[in-house]
Amino acid sequence: MISQSSESVDSDSEKRRPNVWNCSCGRLWTGLAQAHCPTCHEHFSSASLFDRHRPRGVCVQPATARRANGEPLFRASQNRYGTTWVTYDSRAHPHSLPTE
């Protein structure tokens, strides 16, 4: 299981902020396009990624989901509210520093 971000979040004050959504599991989020699974309580950066984690109407653990070529389907991204699953991309980030 992936741990929550080390930055503490005061849930009560965060819930009172405009545009902060929450689930009974305690997860908070602010992105309008994000999707939270009410079954497994995993959190995704988009509705399409949420759909991809339920290919046959049953949740697939994002950490174990793979593409046909064996690459991961998702990558965990940490933020102040916890883990958000985003699209895995094996390409180098265009702004990354050279490794030499």
Side-chain angles (χ1 to χ4, degrees):
M1 173 157 227
I2 296 177
S3 63
Q4 295 276 346
S5 172
S6 61
E7 183 181 341
S8 68
V9 174
D10 177 8
S11 293
D12 291 332
S13 66
E14 288 290 318
K15 287 177 187 175
R16 290 190 298 270
R17 288 181 52 204
N19 301 322
V20 173
W21 291 269
N22 64 70
C23 179
S24 61
C25 69
R27 174 62 195 238
L28 303 173
W29 66 94
T30 58
L32 291 173
Q34 295 179 10
H36 185 79
C37 182
T39 304
C40 68
H41 298 286
E42 295 290 355
H43 194 78
F44 300 89
S45 62
S46 70
S48 64
L49 290 181
F50 166 83
D51 289 342
R52 293 179 80 182
H53 105 284
R54 294 181 56 89
R56 292 171 189 80
V58 177
C59 300
V60 173
Q61 172 58 273
T64 62
R66 301 275 178 217
R67 293 187 170 130
N69 66 4
E71 284 188 339
L73 186 57
F74 304 104
R75 174 180 64 81
S77 175
Q78 298 294 323
N79 62 46
R80 68 180 289 157
Y81 299 115
T83 302
T84 298
W85 292 98
V86 299
T87 301
Y88 174 82
D89 190 347
S90 61
R91 296 174 296 179
H93 190 279
H95 303 290
S96 60
L97 297 173
T99 55
E100 296 177 356

